[in-house]
Amino acid sequence: MFLEYAFGPVSRPAMTRLLPPLELAGRMSRLGTENAFEVLARAKALEAQGKSIIHLEIGEPDFPTPDFIVEAGLQAIQDEANHHYGPAAGVPDVREAVAHHVAATRNVECSPLEVVMVPGSKPVMFYAMLALLEEGDEVILPDPGYPIYESMVSFSGAKPISCPLRSENNFAADPEELLSLITPATRMVILNSPGNPTGAVLPPESLDAIVEGLRNHPRIWLLTDEIYWRLIFDDAVHSSALSNPDIRERTILLDGWSKAYAMTGWRLGFGVMRPDLAEQVSRLMINSTSCTTTFVQRAGVVALEGDQAPIEAMKERFNRRRLHIVKLLNEIPGVTCALPQGAFYVFPDVSSFGLPSGEIAEKALQEAGVACLAGTSFGKAGEGFLRLSYAASLANIEEGIGRLRVILDELR
Ligand code: PMP
């Protein structure tokens, strides 16, 4: 199944060839995955057999990329200047535009030398970890949290240390608990606000307390994953560790175009970090992808600088779906679902049904045709919860939650 996701439809005859055993490098056993893609592949396979599936599993906007960005991409690809290798760290004037954007949105000075353009935002975490972590180092990461953190930390040879995010704290990190996990081996702390899978937003005072605590630990880096920062609702405010001068030189910002601009397939992201680390990350770029696609970078600048009305309109539609899905979930006896303040996920508590959340998610897929994820796909602390993405139409949300309700009613 993974092969189908990774490579597209796999040629059956090729797969029946007899191959000698595959002797993999040991490090491959430390690599995890993103369960959302596996569930998507299984859901698609069921669809191919004629089964009706409601997709609430995958974390990408269901909207097309706004027209003005597509137009900019088309123009950029027609310009021969964008047909060749570019500098590993990114096109200089694109880095400059991103530095401006970061300065304006994080209320902080930012130099283009601190910006590295990468294909998607995932490489920011991968490269930062490869550049900084040694075997035996510890990295404190959110649980439940984006599964690639744990995977990448383990792959790099370091040790993931889970910081439980608790429902009674609205799934925001508790500064005291997080800081209590620090040991002499701690080299990095990962924050993700708004967070995947819970949609939780870290309150500014909690961020301040974490930064204050880290002042006494000058060897610890802070990786702040702000990929969902534009998708924030109600009176919640986004606060970025990058804005705090006390930790600025040890902060690595991860951001990109995938979520806010509905550009997951374009693969465009950026990191902001001190210039000497940016140079080292550029060396990893040279050794892996050479550079980020030049015309995609050009379209990215237009996305940042153009009329933001289509982006706000997408956000408003997400907001309506958010309110509706939470209402529908709370109407199911035995389910409680907090109203998340960011991203496009809800994380309902289904522990009252007495089944592991993996089994509930499996039943939902197989028996009701609702693709969603078990909370445990995001860490042990996700047991008792499901993650549903509301990057789906209101009609599909209604149908999906209606079907889920039938399954859950049978379990009571
Ligand atoms: N961080 C988080 C928390 C995410 O949820 C995702 C995507 N699911 C990413 C990073 C990676 O995004 P991109 O597509 O830009 O690589």
Side-chain angles (χ1 to χ4, degrees):
M1 200 51 73
F2 174 72
L3 286 177
E4 299 225 347
Y5 161 65
F7 305 122
V10 175
S11 145
R12 295 294 162 194
M15 294 306 288
T16 58
R17 271 191 296 127
L18 270 184
L19 299 169
L22 181 61
E23 286 185 42
L24 284 177
R27 72 177 76 87
M28 289 303 284
S29 67
R30 303 199 302 268
L31 203 56
T33 189
E34 212 175 324
N35 201 236
F37 288 124
E38 204 190 308
V39 173
L40 175 67
R42 290 174 53 222
K44 291 237 153 132
L46 289 171
E47 259 171 343
Q49 292 164 18
K51 190 157 181 168
S52 146
I53 301 286
I54 302 291
H55 290 277
L56 301 176
E57 76 278 43
I58 196 77
E60 70 173 342
D62 53 322
F63 305 116
T65 305
D67 285 345
F68 77 99
I69 306 173
V70 173
E71 202 49 52
L74 285 171
Q75 277 179 23
I77 202 171
Q78 279 168 345
D79 182 350
E80 201 221 301
N82 299 321
H83 292 181
H84 309 289
Y85 287 131
V91 175
D93 53 277
V94 173
R95 291 172 81 194
E96 204 158 308
V98 170
H100 261 108
H101 165 80
V102 169
T105 54
R106 284 14 182 243
N107 192 26
V108 67
E109 276 181 25
C110 182
S111 149
L113 297 177
E114 294 175 285
V115 175
V116 186
M117 303 301 300
V118 283
S121 56
K122 260 181 191 164
V124 176
M125 54 186 99
F126 194 22
Y127 292 152
M129 288 175 194
L130 287 182
L132 295 169
L133 300 179
E134 297 271 24
E135 193 132 349
D137 286 345
E138 292 179 359
V139 177
I140 298 173
L141 40 82
D143 178 4
Y146 185 47
I148 299 301
Y149 302 142
E150 182 176 342
S151 169
M152 286 287 98
V153 168
S154 302
F155 191 70
S156 77
K159 193 171 161 208
I161 305 291
S162 291
C163 175
L165 305 181
R166 302 182 189 282
S167 59
E168 55 273 25
N169 200 25
N170 294 326
F171 294 107
D174 172 41
E176 225 172 282
E177 188 165 17
L178 185 149
L179 295 167
S180 75
L181 297 169
I182 292 176
T183 72
T186 309
R187 270 293 263 164
M188 188 180 277
V189 169
I190 302 178
L191 296 179
N192 173 215
S193 175
N196 179 6
T198 64
V201 173
L202 187 67
E205 57 279 11
S206 299
L207 176 62
D208 289 348
I210 292 169
V211 171
E212 179 61 29
L214 291 176
R215 278 167 71 132
N216 307 325
H217 300 279
R219 284 194 75 238
I220 300 181
W221 290 88
L222 184 58
L223 174 65
T224 173
D225 180 344
E226 301 180 14
I227 188 81
Y228 295 102
W229 79 273
R230 293 282 297 260
L231 295 167
I232 198 160
F233 307 106
D234 304 332
D235 54 356
V237 282
H238 176 66
S239 44
S240 172
L242 199 75
S243 316
N244 191 322
D246 291 342
I247 191 124
R248 173 67 203 271
E249 306 309 342
R250 292 189 274 139
T251 298
I252 300 162
L253 168 71
L254 174 155
D255 198 356
W257 283 256
S258 292
K259 314 289 175 172
Y261 295 95
M263 288 174 69
T264 45
W266 295 63
R267 308 312 300 137
L268 187 63
F270 65 85
V272 176
M273 61 207 79
R274 47 188 269 186
D276 48 0
L277 178 59
E279 269 174 39
Q280 299 305 318
V281 167
S282 306
R283 289 178 62 212
L284 288 164
M285 278 291 289
I286 291 176
N287 277 271
S288 50
T289 56
S290 298
C291 65
T292 303
T293 312
T294 311
F295 50 83
V296 171
Q297 292 185 57
R298 296 249 170 250
V301 172
V302 174
L304 295 182
E305 294 178 350
D307 178 11
Q308 301 297 293
I311 286 83
E312 288 305 312
M314 281 195 278
K315 187 175 141 183
E316 196 32 53
R317 288 178 71 184
F318 278 132
N319 189 25
R320 262 182 279 151
R321 295 162 173 192
R322 174 184 74 117
L323 298 170
H324 199 54
I325 197 170
V326 168
K327 177 174 158 287
L328 292 176
L329 283 164
N330 281 317
E331 282 168 9
I332 304 177
V335 175
T336 31
C337 184
L339 184 66
Q341 291 186 299
F344 38 62
Y345 307 112
V346 284
F347 205 61
D349 183 341
V350 291
S351 57
S352 73
F353 296 96
L355 273 189
S357 53
E359 279 182 38
I360 297 182
E362 192 56 30
K363 266 176 113 46
L365 178 63
Q366 298 295 345
E367 294 173 26
V370 177
C372 63
L373 300 180
T376 41
S377 297
F378 301 89
K380 282 199 194 73
E383 185 53 274
F385 296 86
L386 295 176
R387 190 200 77 169
L388 310 178
S389 157
Y390 54 86
S393 67
L394 277 174
N396 277 357
I397 287 173
E398 292 213 347
E399 173 69 21
I401 304 305
R403 292 185 191 185
L404 189 64
R405 182 176 183 144
V406 174
I407 293 287
L408 293 175
D409 281 348
E410 280 168 12
L411 287 176
R412 284 173 55 231

